[in-house]
Amino acid sequence: MSSAFCGICVVLVVTLTRTYCFQWTAVLPDETVKYACVGDDIVLPWGYTTSPRTVVDSIQWFFHGSSQELVAIFANGNFQPTASFSGRVTQLTRAGLNLSHVTNGDKGNYSVEVSGHNASGVSFSYRRTVTLRIVELQTSDGELHATLDPQAIYSNTTGRWSLVLSCGNFTYLTDPPFTMEWQTPSGAVIPSDGYTDGHFQLHVTSGGDYTCRIPQHAAADACLHNASSHHATVHVDRMEARMTLMEARQGQLEKENKQLKNEVAELKDREAHRYTSLAESVYNLTDKVNQSVAFTAWLIAPHSGNSIIVTFDHIVTNVGDGYSPTTGIFTAPVAGLYFFRLTSAPSSMNAYPDATLRKEGVAICVAGSAKDVYGEEASCGATVHLDAGQRVWVGSGNYLAGSYTSFAGFLVNVD
Ligand SMILES: *[C@@H]1O[C@H](CO)[C@@H](O)[C@H](O)[C@H]1NC(C)=O
Ligand SMILES: *[C@@H]1O[C@H](CO)[C@@H](O)[C@H](O)[C@H]1NC(C)=O
Ligand SMILES: *[C@@H]1O[C@H](CO)[C@@H](O)[C@H](O)[C@H]1NC(C)=O
Ligand SMILES: *[C@@H]1O[C@H](CO)[C@@H](O)[C@H](O)[C@H]1NC(C)=O
Ligand SMILES: *[C@@H]1O[C@H](CO)[C@@H](O)[C@H](O)[C@H]1NC(C)=O
Ligand SMILES: *[C@@H]1O[C@H](CO)[C@@H](O)[C@H](O)[C@H]1NC(C)=O
Ligand SMILES: *[C@@H]1O[C@H](CO)[C@@H](O)[C@H](O)[C@H]1NC(C)=O
Ligand SMILES: *[C@@H]1O[C@H](CO)[C@@H](O)[C@H](O)[C@H]1NC(C)=O
Protein backbone atom coordinates (compact mmCIF):
# COMPACT_ATOMS: atom_id res chain seq x y z
CA MET A 1 0.00 0.00 0.00
CA SER A 2 1.37 3.36 -0.94
CA SER A 3 1.77 5.61 2.05
CA ALA A 4 -0.59 8.52 2.59
CA PHE A 5 1.91 10.87 4.18
CA CYS A 6 3.77 11.07 0.90
CA GLY A 7 1.59 13.08 -1.48
CA ILE A 8 4.17 13.10 -4.24
CA CYS A 9 4.62 9.32 -4.19
CA VAL A 10 1.61 8.64 -6.37
CA VAL A 11 3.22 10.72 -9.06
CA LEU A 12 6.55 9.00 -8.47
CA VAL A 13 4.99 5.55 -8.84
CA VAL A 14 3.82 6.54 -12.25
CA THR A 15 6.94 8.38 -13.39
CA LEU A 16 9.80 6.66 -11.50
CA THR A 17 8.77 3.03 -11.04
CA ARG A 18 8.92 1.50 -7.52
CA THR A 19 10.03 4.58 -5.69
CA TYR A 20 7.95 4.63 -2.52
CA CYS A 21 8.18 6.82 0.53
CA PHE A 22 7.34 3.95 2.96
CA GLN A 23 6.22 0.47 2.02
CA TRP A 24 5.95 -2.78 4.06
CA THR A 25 7.49 -5.72 2.27
CA ALA A 26 5.18 -8.71 1.87
CA VAL A 27 7.29 -11.17 3.89
CA LEU A 28 5.16 -11.06 7.04
CA PRO A 29 1.60 -9.82 6.39
CA ASP A 30 -0.26 -8.00 9.15
CA GLU A 31 -2.15 -10.18 11.64
CA THR A 32 -0.30 -13.35 10.71
CA VAL A 33 -0.66 -16.22 13.20
CA LYS A 34 2.62 -18.01 13.84
CA TYR A 35 2.98 -21.34 15.66
CA ALA A 36 6.03 -22.30 17.65
CA CYS A 37 7.11 -25.11 19.88
CA VAL A 38 8.52 -24.39 23.30
CA GLY A 39 12.28 -23.88 22.92
CA ASP A 40 12.10 -22.75 19.31
CA ASP A 41 13.67 -19.53 17.99
CA ILE A 42 11.05 -17.52 16.18
CA VAL A 43 11.82 -15.04 13.49
CA LEU A 44 9.51 -12.12 12.74
CA PRO A 45 10.99 -10.78 9.47
CA TRP A 46 9.15 -7.49 9.26
CA GLY A 47 10.61 -5.49 6.37
CA TYR A 48 9.94 -2.22 4.63
CA THR A 49 11.31 0.04 1.94
CA THR A 50 11.46 3.84 1.92
CA SER A 51 12.22 6.46 -0.69
CA PRO A 52 15.70 7.94 -0.48
CA ARG A 53 14.70 11.14 1.28
CA THR A 54 12.48 9.46 3.85
CA VAL A 55 14.03 9.07 7.30
CA VAL A 56 13.13 6.36 9.83
CA ASP A 57 13.64 7.81 13.33
CA SER A 58 12.78 4.84 15.49
CA ILE A 59 11.44 1.28 15.52
CA GLN A 60 9.63 -0.08 18.59
CA TRP A 61 8.51 -3.63 19.29
CA PHE A 62 5.68 -4.36 21.69
CA PHE A 63 4.37 -7.47 23.41
CA HIS A 64 0.68 -7.90 24.34
CA GLY A 65 0.16 -11.17 26.14
CA SER A 66 0.47 -12.14 29.78
CA SER A 67 1.90 -8.64 30.16
CA GLN A 68 1.87 -5.51 28.01
CA GLU A 69 5.31 -4.15 27.48
CA LEU A 70 7.93 -2.79 25.22
CA VAL A 71 10.24 -5.48 23.85
CA ALA A 72 12.95 -3.35 22.30
CA ILE A 73 13.60 -0.02 20.69
CA PHE A 74 15.83 0.93 17.79
CA ALA A 75 16.88 4.58 17.61
CA ASN A 76 19.98 6.47 16.55
CA GLY A 77 21.38 3.30 15.00
CA ASN A 78 21.13 1.54 18.36
CA PHE A 79 19.09 -1.61 19.15
CA GLN A 80 18.10 -1.70 22.82
CA PRO A 81 15.99 -4.57 24.28
CA THR A 82 14.11 -3.93 27.54
CA ALA A 83 15.18 -5.74 30.69
CA SER A 84 12.69 -8.63 30.42
CA PHE A 85 13.70 -9.41 26.82
CA SER A 86 17.39 -8.70 27.16
CA GLY A 87 19.53 -11.53 25.79
CA ARG A 88 16.53 -13.15 24.10
CA VAL A 89 15.90 -10.81 21.19
CA THR A 90 18.05 -9.63 18.34
CA GLN A 91 17.20 -7.32 15.52
CA LEU A 92 17.15 -8.72 12.03
CA THR A 93 17.30 -6.57 8.91
CA ARG A 94 15.13 -3.48 9.29
CA ALA A 95 12.15 -4.13 11.58
CA GLY A 96 12.74 -7.89 11.83
CA LEU A 97 12.97 -9.50 15.24
CA ASN A 98 14.42 -12.82 16.41
CA LEU A 99 13.02 -14.14 19.70
CA SER A 100 14.96 -17.16 20.94
CA HIS A 101 13.96 -20.07 23.17
CA VAL A 102 10.27 -19.27 23.38
CA THR A 103 8.30 -20.40 26.41
CA ASN A 104 4.60 -20.70 27.10
CA GLY A 105 4.66 -17.22 28.57
CA ASP A 106 5.71 -15.78 25.22
CA LYS A 107 2.37 -16.44 23.55
CA GLY A 108 0.50 -13.31 22.58
CA ASN A 109 0.69 -10.47 20.10
CA TYR A 110 3.90 -8.87 18.89
CA SER A 111 3.77 -5.52 17.12
CA VAL A 112 6.31 -3.38 15.45
CA GLU A 113 5.92 0.36 15.00
CA VAL A 114 8.13 2.22 12.51
CA SER A 115 8.20 6.02 12.92
CA GLY A 116 9.93 8.62 10.80
CA HIS A 117 9.47 11.73 8.65
CA ASN A 118 9.49 12.61 4.96
CA ALA A 119 11.60 15.14 3.16
CA SER A 120 9.25 17.98 4.14
CA GLY A 121 9.49 17.01 7.80
CA VAL A 122 6.01 15.44 8.00
CA SER A 123 6.18 12.52 10.44
CA PHE A 124 4.62 9.10 10.05
CA SER A 125 4.16 5.94 12.07
CA TYR A 126 3.22 2.47 10.80
CA ARG A 127 2.36 -0.61 12.79
CA ARG A 128 2.07 -4.35 12.14
CA THR A 129 1.06 -7.21 14.40
CA VAL A 130 1.73 -10.95 14.56
CA THR A 131 0.01 -13.41 16.88
CA LEU A 132 2.28 -16.06 18.36
CA ARG A 133 0.75 -19.34 19.49
CA ILE A 134 2.73 -21.91 21.39
CA VAL A 135 2.02 -25.48 20.36
CA GLU A 136 1.81 -27.40 23.57
CA LEU A 137 1.43 -30.86 22.11
CA GLN A 138 4.97 -32.17 22.24
CA THR A 139 6.85 -35.08 23.70
CA SER A 140 9.87 -34.86 25.93
CA ASP A 141 12.17 -36.08 23.15
CA GLY A 142 10.30 -34.95 20.03
CA GLU A 143 9.34 -38.53 19.13
CA LEU A 144 6.14 -40.53 19.51
CA HIS A 145 6.33 -43.65 21.67
CA ALA A 146 3.94 -46.57 21.46
CA THR A 147 3.99 -49.09 24.31
CA LEU A 148 1.98 -51.96 25.75
CA ASP A 149 0.91 -51.42 29.37
CA PRO A 150 2.00 -54.37 31.52
CA GLN A 151 -1.41 -54.71 33.19
CA ALA A 152 -4.61 -55.85 31.51
CA ILE A 153 -7.64 -53.66 32.28
CA TYR A 154 -11.14 -54.72 33.21
CA SER A 155 -14.06 -52.72 31.92
CA ASN A 156 -17.07 -53.08 34.15
CA THR A 157 -19.32 -51.66 31.44
CA THR A 158 -18.47 -54.34 28.87
CA GLY A 159 -17.45 -56.92 31.48
CA ARG A 160 -14.33 -57.71 29.46
CA TRP A 161 -10.60 -57.64 29.96
CA SER A 162 -8.35 -55.88 27.49
CA LEU A 163 -4.73 -54.95 26.89
CA VAL A 164 -3.97 -51.25 26.80
CA LEU A 165 -1.71 -49.68 24.20
CA SER A 166 -0.37 -46.21 24.94
CA CYS A 167 0.92 -43.73 22.42
CA GLY A 168 2.49 -40.41 23.12
CA ASN A 169 4.29 -39.29 26.17
CA PHE A 170 3.02 -35.82 25.38
CA THR A 171 3.89 -33.13 27.86
CA TYR A 172 0.53 -31.53 27.12
CA LEU A 173 -1.83 -32.73 29.80
CA THR A 174 -5.17 -31.10 29.10
CA ASP A 175 -7.54 -32.17 26.33
CA PRO A 176 -5.56 -32.67 23.15
CA PRO A 177 -6.74 -30.88 19.97
CA PHE A 178 -6.93 -34.09 17.93
CA THR A 179 -7.47 -37.82 18.31
CA MET A 180 -4.69 -40.23 17.50
CA GLU A 181 -5.36 -42.81 14.81
CA TRP A 182 -4.37 -46.44 15.22
CA GLN A 183 -3.73 -48.91 12.45
CA THR A 184 -4.60 -52.41 13.66
CA PRO A 185 -2.97 -55.65 12.45
CA SER A 186 -5.92 -56.14 10.07
CA GLY A 187 -5.09 -52.80 8.40
CA ALA A 188 -8.14 -50.99 9.74
CA VAL A 189 -7.64 -47.42 10.99
CA ILE A 190 -9.55 -46.58 14.15
CA PRO A 191 -9.45 -43.66 16.56
CA SER A 192 -7.98 -43.82 20.06
CA ASP A 193 -10.46 -44.77 22.76
CA GLY A 194 -8.91 -42.82 25.60
CA TYR A 195 -6.48 -40.12 26.62
CA THR A 196 -4.81 -39.76 29.99
CA ASP A 197 -1.74 -37.94 31.18
CA GLY A 198 -0.20 -37.36 27.78
CA HIS A 199 -1.01 -40.83 26.41
CA PHE A 200 -3.57 -41.82 23.79
CA GLN A 201 -4.89 -45.31 24.44
CA LEU A 202 -6.25 -48.19 22.48
CA HIS A 203 -7.83 -51.18 24.20
CA VAL A 204 -7.18 -54.41 22.31
CA THR A 205 -7.80 -58.09 22.87
CA SER A 206 -5.33 -59.70 20.48
CA GLY A 207 -1.71 -59.39 19.42
CA GLY A 208 0.01 -58.04 16.31
CA ASP A 209 1.53 -54.75 15.16
CA TYR A 210 -0.32 -51.59 16.09
CA THR A 211 0.73 -48.21 14.71
CA CYS A 212 -0.41 -44.94 16.18
CA ARG A 213 -0.32 -41.91 13.91
CA ILE A 214 -1.05 -38.22 14.24
CA PRO A 215 -3.75 -37.57 11.63
CA GLN A 216 -2.64 -35.61 8.58
CA HIS A 217 -4.87 -32.62 9.32
CA ALA A 218 -3.37 -32.29 12.80
CA ALA A 219 0.29 -32.63 11.84
CA ALA A 220 0.90 -28.94 12.46
CA ASP A 221 -0.59 -29.23 15.95
CA ALA A 222 2.26 -31.30 17.28
CA CYS A 223 5.82 -30.30 18.00
CA LEU A 224 7.65 -33.37 16.83
CA HIS A 225 10.94 -33.70 14.99
CA ASN A 226 9.85 -34.60 11.47
CA ALA A 227 7.34 -36.62 9.48
CA SER A 228 8.80 -39.94 10.59
CA SER A 229 8.22 -38.89 14.21
CA HIS A 230 4.46 -38.66 13.57
CA HIS A 231 3.89 -42.38 13.96
CA ALA A 232 5.09 -45.19 16.19
CA THR A 233 4.52 -48.93 16.21
CA VAL A 234 4.17 -51.37 19.06
CA HIS A 235 4.43 -55.11 18.55
CA VAL A 236 2.15 -57.17 20.78
CA ASP A 237 3.13 -60.82 20.94
CA ARG A 238 0.02 -62.89 20.18
CA MET A 239 0.84 -65.68 22.64
CA GLU A 240 1.75 -63.28 25.39
CA ALA A 241 -1.42 -61.27 24.82
CA ARG A 242 -3.55 -64.38 25.25
CA MET A 243 -1.65 -65.39 28.38
CA THR A 244 -1.96 -61.96 29.95
CA LEU A 245 -5.71 -61.83 29.33
CA MET A 246 -6.19 -65.38 30.63
CA GLU A 247 -4.22 -64.65 33.76
CA ALA A 248 -6.23 -61.51 34.36
CA ARG A 249 -9.52 -63.42 34.04
CA GLN A 250 -8.28 -66.17 36.32
CA GLY A 251 -7.08 -63.62 38.87
CA GLN A 252 -10.49 -62.01 38.80
CA LEU A 253 -12.26 -65.35 39.32
CA GLU A 254 -10.01 -66.13 42.27
CA LYS A 255 -10.68 -62.73 43.76
CA GLU A 256 -14.44 -63.11 43.29
CA ASN A 257 -14.31 -66.59 44.82
CA LYS A 258 -12.42 -65.31 47.84
CA GLN A 259 -14.88 -62.45 48.18
CA LEU A 260 -17.84 -64.87 48.06
CA LYS A 261 -16.22 -67.08 50.70
CA ASN A 262 -15.72 -64.07 52.93
CA GLU A 263 -19.31 -63.02 52.44
CA VAL A 264 -20.61 -66.49 53.33
CA ALA A 265 -18.43 -66.61 56.44
CA GLU A 266 -19.61 -63.16 57.42
CA LEU A 267 -23.25 -64.16 56.92
CA LYS A 268 -22.79 -67.29 59.05
CA ASP A 269 -21.15 -65.22 61.72
CA ARG A 270 -23.95 -62.69 61.68
CA GLU A 271 -26.61 -65.45 61.87
CA ALA A 272 -24.82 -67.10 64.79
CA HIS A 273 -24.56 -63.81 66.56
CA ARG A 274 -28.23 -63.06 65.95
CA TYR A 275 -29.19 -66.47 67.34
CA THR A 276 -27.07 -65.98 70.48
CA SER A 277 -28.52 -62.59 71.09
CA LEU A 278 -32.07 -63.90 70.57
CA ALA A 279 -31.47 -66.75 73.01
CA GLU A 280 -30.09 -64.27 75.51
CA SER A 281 -33.13 -62.04 75.04
CA VAL A 282 -35.46 -64.98 75.66
CA TYR A 283 -33.47 -65.94 78.73
CA ASN A 284 -33.49 -62.36 80.05
CA LEU A 285 -37.23 -62.07 79.42
CA THR A 286 -38.01 -65.42 81.05
CA ASP A 287 -35.80 -64.47 83.94
CA LYS A 288 -37.80 -61.31 84.39
CA VAL A 289 -41.22 -62.93 84.05
CA ASN A 290 -40.04 -65.82 86.21
CA GLN A 291 -39.27 -63.42 89.06
CA SER A 292 -41.39 -64.31 92.04
CA VAL A 293 -41.63 -62.55 95.39
CA ALA A 294 -44.20 -63.62 98.04
CA PHE A 295 -44.31 -63.88 101.80
CA THR A 296 -46.70 -64.62 104.68
CA ALA A 297 -45.81 -64.31 108.34
CA TRP A 298 -47.64 -64.11 111.64
CA LEU A 299 -46.95 -63.19 115.19
CA ILE A 300 -45.90 -65.95 117.59
CA ALA A 301 -46.08 -63.84 120.75
CA PRO A 302 -48.45 -60.90 121.17
CA HIS A 303 -47.18 -57.51 120.13
CA SER A 304 -46.68 -55.52 123.28
CA GLY A 305 -47.17 -52.10 121.84
CA ASN A 306 -43.70 -51.01 123.01
CA SER A 307 -42.12 -51.08 119.56
CA ILE A 308 -43.55 -49.21 116.58
CA ILE A 309 -42.69 -51.87 113.96
CA VAL A 310 -44.56 -55.13 114.37
CA THR A 311 -42.17 -58.07 113.95
CA PHE A 312 -44.04 -61.02 112.48
CA ASP A 313 -41.71 -63.79 113.56
CA HIS A 314 -43.34 -66.92 112.22
CA ILE A 315 -42.67 -67.28 108.53
CA VAL A 316 -45.05 -69.32 106.41
CA THR A 317 -43.66 -68.32 103.01
CA ASN A 318 -40.73 -66.09 102.01
CA VAL A 319 -40.04 -66.59 98.29
CA GLY A 320 -37.37 -64.12 97.16
CA ASP A 321 -36.34 -63.38 100.78
CA GLY A 322 -37.89 -59.92 100.73
CA TYR A 323 -39.27 -60.15 104.25
CA SER A 324 -37.04 -60.10 107.34
CA PRO A 325 -38.51 -61.87 110.43
CA THR A 326 -35.96 -60.11 112.67
CA THR A 327 -36.81 -56.54 111.69
CA GLY A 328 -40.35 -57.09 110.44
CA ILE A 329 -39.50 -55.07 107.32
CA PHE A 330 -40.20 -56.11 103.74
CA THR A 331 -37.62 -54.78 101.26
CA ALA A 332 -38.56 -54.95 97.56
CA PRO A 333 -35.91 -57.07 95.72
CA VAL A 334 -37.14 -55.75 92.34
CA ALA A 335 -39.15 -52.77 91.24
CA GLY A 336 -42.76 -53.55 90.48
CA LEU A 337 -46.34 -53.55 91.59
CA TYR A 338 -46.94 -55.27 94.95
CA PHE A 339 -50.00 -56.28 96.91
CA PHE A 340 -49.92 -56.36 100.73
CA ARG A 341 -52.47 -57.55 103.25
CA LEU A 342 -52.53 -56.93 106.96
CA THR A 343 -54.84 -58.74 109.43
CA SER A 344 -54.82 -57.89 113.14
CA ALA A 345 -56.63 -58.97 116.26
CA PRO A 346 -56.53 -57.39 119.74
CA SER A 347 -54.56 -59.28 122.40
CA SER A 348 -57.11 -58.73 125.23
CA MET A 349 -60.64 -57.59 125.96
CA ASN A 350 -59.68 -53.98 126.30
CA ALA A 351 -57.28 -53.67 123.41
CA TYR A 352 -57.87 -52.17 119.99
CA PRO A 353 -56.62 -54.15 116.94
CA ASP A 354 -55.47 -50.95 115.17
CA ALA A 355 -52.39 -51.33 112.92
CA THR A 356 -51.12 -49.38 109.92
CA LEU A 357 -49.36 -50.59 106.76
CA ARG A 358 -46.56 -48.13 105.88
CA LYS A 359 -44.40 -47.60 102.84
CA GLU A 360 -41.22 -45.85 103.93
CA GLY A 361 -43.15 -44.57 106.96
CA VAL A 362 -46.14 -43.31 105.00
CA ALA A 363 -49.48 -44.98 105.79
CA ILE A 364 -50.94 -46.85 102.86
CA CYS A 365 -53.78 -48.60 104.68
CA VAL A 366 -55.11 -48.90 108.20
CA ALA A 367 -56.68 -52.01 109.84
CA GLY A 368 -58.71 -50.79 112.77
CA SER A 369 -61.81 -51.14 114.83
CA ALA A 370 -63.62 -48.77 117.12
CA LYS A 371 -64.84 -51.64 119.25
CA ASP A 372 -62.89 -53.17 122.12
CA VAL A 373 -64.45 -56.53 121.60
CA TYR A 374 -62.19 -59.47 122.18
CA GLY A 375 -61.85 -61.55 119.04
CA GLU A 376 -62.70 -58.63 116.74
CA GLU A 377 -60.35 -58.76 113.72
CA ALA A 378 -59.46 -55.89 111.46
CA SER A 379 -57.81 -56.03 108.08
CA CYS A 380 -56.76 -53.96 105.11
CA GLY A 381 -55.07 -54.63 101.78
CA ALA A 382 -53.27 -52.33 99.36
CA THR A 383 -51.62 -52.41 95.98
CA VAL A 384 -48.54 -50.23 95.84
CA HIS A 385 -45.65 -49.58 93.54
CA LEU A 386 -42.19 -50.06 94.95
CA ASP A 387 -38.79 -49.31 93.56
CA ALA A 388 -36.16 -51.95 94.26
CA GLY A 389 -35.00 -51.40 97.86
CA GLN A 390 -38.09 -49.54 99.06
CA ARG A 391 -39.51 -50.82 102.36
CA VAL A 392 -42.97 -51.69 103.70
CA TRP A 393 -43.81 -52.60 107.28
CA VAL A 394 -46.68 -52.72 109.78
CA GLY A 395 -46.67 -50.23 112.59
CA SER A 396 -48.83 -50.38 115.74
CA GLY A 397 -48.72 -49.05 119.28
CA ASN A 398 -51.46 -51.44 120.37
CA TYR A 399 -51.54 -54.87 121.92
CA LEU A 400 -52.00 -57.35 119.11
CA ALA A 401 -52.73 -61.04 119.47
CA GLY A 402 -50.29 -63.75 118.43
CA SER A 403 -51.35 -66.18 115.67
CA TYR A 404 -54.30 -64.01 114.56
CA THR A 405 -52.18 -61.09 113.45
CA SER A 406 -50.48 -61.60 110.11
CA PHE A 407 -48.72 -59.78 107.31
CA ALA A 408 -48.57 -61.04 103.69
CA GLY A 409 -47.56 -59.67 100.35
CA PHE A 410 -46.55 -60.60 96.83
CA LEU A 411 -45.21 -59.16 93.65
CA VAL A 412 -48.03 -58.66 91.11
CA ASN A 413 -45.67 -57.83 88.21
CA VAL A 414 -42.17 -56.60 87.56
CA ASP A 415 -41.65 -53.18 85.96
C1 LIG B 1 5.41 14.83 3.14
O1 LIG B 1 4.05 14.47 3.53
C2 LIG B 1 3.13 15.53 3.39
C3 LIG B 1 1.77 15.09 3.93
O2 LIG B 1 1.30 13.95 3.26
C4 LIG B 1 3.06 15.91 1.94
O3 LIG B 1 2.15 16.98 1.79
C5 LIG B 1 4.46 16.31 1.43
O4 LIG B 1 4.42 16.55 0.07
C6 LIG B 1 5.46 15.20 1.70
N1 LIG B 1 6.79 15.62 1.32
C7 LIG B 1 7.57 14.92 0.51
C8 LIG B 1 8.91 15.54 0.18
O5 LIG B 1 7.24 13.82 0.05
C1 LIG C 1 -4.02 -10.32 19.53
O1 LIG C 1 -4.55 -9.86 18.32
C2 LIG C 1 -5.77 -10.45 17.94
C3 LIG C 1 -6.16 -9.91 16.56
O2 LIG C 1 -5.12 -9.31 15.94
C4 LIG C 1 -6.82 -10.10 18.96
O3 LIG C 1 -8.04 -10.69 18.65
C5 LIG C 1 -6.35 -10.56 20.32
O4 LIG C 1 -7.27 -10.15 21.31
C6 LIG C 1 -4.99 -10.01 20.67
N1 LIG C 1 -4.54 -10.60 21.90
C7 LIG C 1 -3.93 -9.89 22.87
C8 LIG C 1 -3.50 -10.64 24.06
O5 LIG C 1 -3.74 -8.69 22.78
C1 LIG D 1 17.94 -16.26 16.29
O1 LIG D 1 18.63 -16.32 17.53
C2 LIG D 1 19.20 -17.56 17.87
C3 LIG D 1 19.83 -17.45 19.25
O2 LIG D 1 20.62 -16.35 19.38
C4 LIG D 1 20.23 -17.97 16.84
O3 LIG D 1 20.75 -19.24 17.15
C5 LIG D 1 19.55 -17.99 15.47
O4 LIG D 1 20.51 -18.29 14.48
C6 LIG D 1 18.89 -16.67 15.20
N1 LIG D 1 18.16 -16.74 13.95
C7 LIG D 1 18.35 -15.86 12.95
C8 LIG D 1 17.51 -16.08 11.73
O5 LIG D 1 19.11 -14.92 13.07
C1 LIG E 1 -17.34 -49.30 37.26
O1 LIG E 1 -16.09 -48.81 37.71
C2 LIG E 1 -16.09 -47.47 38.13
C3 LIG E 1 -14.66 -47.05 38.45
O2 LIG E 1 -13.91 -48.10 38.97
C4 LIG E 1 -17.02 -47.33 39.33
O3 LIG E 1 -17.05 -45.98 39.75
C5 LIG E 1 -18.40 -47.80 38.95
O4 LIG E 1 -19.24 -47.74 40.08
C6 LIG E 1 -18.35 -49.22 38.40
N1 LIG E 1 -19.66 -49.58 37.91
C7 LIG E 1 -20.22 -50.76 38.17
C8 LIG E 1 -21.55 -51.01 37.55
O5 LIG E 1 -19.65 -51.59 38.87
C1 LIG F 1 7.70 -40.40 29.25
O1 LIG F 1 8.22 -39.25 29.85
C2 LIG F 1 8.66 -39.41 31.17
C3 LIG F 1 9.16 -38.07 31.68
O2 LIG F 1 8.59 -37.02 31.01
C4 LIG F 1 9.78 -40.45 31.20
O3 LIG F 1 10.16 -40.67 32.54
C5 LIG F 1 9.28 -41.74 30.58
O4 LIG F 1 10.33 -42.66 30.50
C6 LIG F 1 8.76 -41.48 29.18
N1 LIG F 1 8.19 -42.69 28.64
C7 LIG F 1 8.42 -43.07 27.40
C8 LIG F 1 7.74 -44.32 26.96
O5 LIG F 1 9.15 -42.45 26.66
C1 LIG G 1 13.71 -37.41 11.73
O1 LIG G 1 14.26 -37.09 13.04
C2 LIG G 1 15.01 -38.13 13.62
C3 LIG G 1 15.43 -37.68 15.01
O2 LIG G 1 15.93 -36.38 14.98
C4 LIG G 1 16.20 -38.52 12.74
O3 LIG G 1 16.90 -39.58 13.33
C5 LIG G 1 15.68 -38.90 11.39
O4 LIG G 1 16.77 -39.15 10.50
C6 LIG G 1 14.81 -37.82 10.79
N1 LIG G 1 14.20 -38.29 9.56
C7 LIG G 1 14.07 -37.54 8.47
C8 LIG G 1 13.43 -38.18 7.32
O5 LIG G 1 14.47 -36.37 8.45
C1 LIG H 1 -29.48 -59.73 79.16
O1 LIG H 1 -29.23 -59.23 80.44
C2 LIG H 1 -27.89 -58.85 80.71
C3 LIG H 1 -27.76 -58.49 82.19
O2 LIG H 1 -28.75 -57.58 82.55
C4 LIG H 1 -27.55 -57.69 79.79
O3 LIG H 1 -26.19 -57.28 79.99
C5 LIG H 1 -27.74 -58.12 78.37
O4 LIG H 1 -27.51 -57.03 77.49
C6 LIG H 1 -29.15 -58.65 78.15
N1 LIG H 1 -29.23 -59.19 76.80
C7 LIG H 1 -30.21 -58.88 75.95
C8 LIG H 1 -30.13 -59.47 74.57
O5 LIG H 1 -31.13 -58.12 76.25
C1 LIG I 1 -37.69 -69.94 86.11
O1 LIG I 1 -38.10 -70.50 87.36
C2 LIG I 1 -37.93 -71.91 87.40
C3 LIG I 1 -38.49 -72.32 88.70
O2 LIG I 1 -38.08 -71.53 89.79
C4 LIG I 1 -36.44 -72.25 87.28
O3 LIG I 1 -36.28 -73.65 87.29
C5 LIG I 1 -35.92 -71.69 85.97
O4 LIG I 1 -34.52 -71.91 85.89
C6 LIG I 1 -36.22 -70.21 85.87
N1 LIG I 1 -35.81 -69.76 84.60
C7 LIG I 1 -35.12 -68.62 84.43
C8 LIG I 1 -34.78 -68.27 83.02
O5 LIG I 1 -34.78 -67.93 85.37
Side-chain angles (χ1 to χ4, degrees):
M1 186 188 74
S2 192
S3 309
F5 79 98
C6 184
I8 204 165
C9 280
V10 183
V11 181
L12 286 177
V13 170
V14 179
T15 56
L16 317 160
T17 31
R18 310 201 71 77
T19 309
Y20 304 116
C21 293
F22 181 92
Q23 178 78 47
W24 288 109
T25 53
V27 182
L28 189 61
D30 196 24
E31 299 196 348
T32 301
V33 177
K34 263 186 107 77
Y35 290 89
C37 299
V38 169
D40 281 356
D41 299 328
I42 62 143
V43 170
L44 303 171
W46 282 300
Y48 58 84
T49 56
T50 54
S51 65
R53 294 192 301 149
T54 301
V55 177
V56 167
D57 297 316
S58 70
I59 305 173
Q60 292 180 88
W61 292 268
F62 301 94
F63 172 59
H64 290 267
S66 53
S67 62
Q68 310 233 330
E69 54 188 308
L70 189 65
V71 174
I73 185 160
F74 174 78
N76 306 321
N78 205 351
F79 177 76
Q80 188 61 52
T82 55
S84 45
F85 285 89
S86 175
R88 297 187 50 214
V89 288
T90 50
Q91 186 185 17
L92 301 173
T93 317
R94 308 247 175 205
L97 195 70
N98 178 4
L99 176 63
S100 56
H101 302 296
V102 300
T103 66
N104 255 318
D106 289 335
K107 63 180 170 229
N109 291 344
Y110 291 82
S111 308
V112 64
E113 194 173 284
V114 182
S115 310
H117 59 272
N118 72 0
S120 342
V122 175
S123 52
F124 64 89
S125 180
Y126 288 95
R127 195 179 176 108
R128 286 210 144 172
T129 300
V130 159
T131 299
L132 176 67
R133 299 216 171 120
I134 304 296
V135 175
E136 293 170 85
L137 202 63
Q138 55 185 338
T139 62
S140 45
D141 59 358
E143 299 286 339
L144 271 190
H145 296 273
T147 52
L148 167 65
D149 289 3
Q151 299 287 336
I153 287 280
Y154 181 72
S155 157
N156 59 7
T157 47
T158 62
R160 286 177 64 182
W161 284 91
S162 50
L163 298 169
V164 184
L165 307 181
S166 281
C167 177
N169 223 12
F170 287 103
T171 53
Y172 180 89
L173 297 180
T174 51
D175 288 341
F178 66 87
T179 297
M180 191 73 76
E181 285 174 351
W182 288 87
Q183 185 167 351
T184 67
S186 71
V189 175
I190 54 174
S192 264
D193 52 19
Y195 179 83
T196 28
D197 296 343
H199 294 269
F200 287 90
Q201 284 123 12
L202 186 68
H203 292 71
V204 302
T205 50
S206 57
D209 283 342
Y210 292 86
T211 299
C212 63
R213 189 185 303 274
I214 294 178
Q216 206 79 62
H217 69 83
D221 291 341
C223 285
L224 297 171
H225 280 149
N226 54 36
S228 65
S229 315
H230 283 219
H231 57 88
T233 300
V234 54
H235 173 73
V236 181
D237 184 88
R238 287 176 200 274
M239 202 59 154
E240 225 171 284
R242 281 179 59 184
M243 290 293 285
T244 307
L245 290 173
M246 251 164 62
E247 275 166 17
R249 280 186 214 115
Q250 190 182 334
Q252 184 190 24
L253 283 178
E254 274 168 15
K255 202 169 131 201
E256 279 174 2
N257 194 27
K258 203 166 152 192
Q259 211 169 321
L260 271 175
K261 272 187 183 161
N262 280 346
E263 271 169 32
V264 167
E266 209 175 289
L267 261 174
K268 268 189 180 165
D269 226 45
R270 220 182 302 156
E271 264 328 284
H273 180 76
R274 202 188 293 175
Y275 175 78
T276 312
S277 129
L278 195 67
E280 195 178 292
S281 265
V282 167
Y283 179 87
N284 280 5
L285 204 63
T286 314
D287 199 36
K288 196 173 168 185
V289 169
N290 219 13
Q291 197 93 42
S292 97
V293 180
F295 74 95
T296 299
W298 42 263
L299 280 179
I300 298 173
H303 176 66
S304 68
N306 292 340
S307 61
I308 302 300
I309 299 176
V310 183
T311 313
F312 298 87
D313 41 10
H314 180 80
I315 287 184
V316 179
T317 311
N318 194 8
V319 176
D321 279 331
Y323 178 71
S324 162
T326 53
T327 62
I329 296 173
F330 171 79
T331 305
V334 292
L337 193 63
Y338 287 84
F339 178 78
F340 295 97
R341 180 164 190 91
L342 159 66
T343 305
S344 65
S347 62
S348 64
M349 279 298 283
N350 307 320
Y352 292 98
D354 296 4
T356 305
L357 194 61
R358 295 184 182 278
K359 169 186 167 184
E360 294 293 341
V362 179
I364 49 177
C365 82
V366 178
S369 168
K371 293 182 184 169
D372 56 347
V373 179
Y374 187 65
E376 180 83 352
E377 279 194 341
S379 77
C380 79
T383 308
V384 66
H385 181 271
L386 297 179
D387 293 335
Q390 279 194 313
R391 296 166 306 166
V392 171
W393 65 83
V394 173
S396 180
N398 294 303
Y399 288 88
L400 305 175
S403 305
Y404 298 100
T405 302
S406 67
F407 179 29
F410 58 84
L411 172 65
V412 179
N413 67 257
V414 194
D415 276 356

